[in-house]
Amino acid sequence: MLGWAITFLIVALVAALFGFGGIASASAGIAQILFFIFVALFVVTLIVRAVRSSS
């Protein structure tokens, strides 16, 4: 999922470079959403692992 976020970030940067504002903002928004989902899943995984290893 982090790979998808990076891909959309690159698309947003390239679109911004060429002046496509709508595409750049949409891609940046998707990248941001995917990044936060990735971070949330990572934190949940860390918590689940900590609970399982302690019991």
Side-chain angles (χ1 to χ4, degrees):
M1 192 169 300
L2 184 59
W4 281 104
I6 292 171
T7 302
F8 277 107
L9 178 64
I10 291 171
V11 169
L13 291 174
V14 170
L17 179 69
F18 290 117
F20 300 115
I23 296 171
S25 64
S27 295
I30 292 170
Q32 185 177 12
I33 290 168
L34 289 175
F35 178 75
F36 285 126
I37 290 172
F38 170 77
V39 170
L41 290 174
F42 179 69
V43 169
V44 169
T45 303
L46 286 177
I47 292 170
V48 168
R49 225 172 220 234
V51 169
R52 278 194 185 167
S53 65
S54 66
S55 59

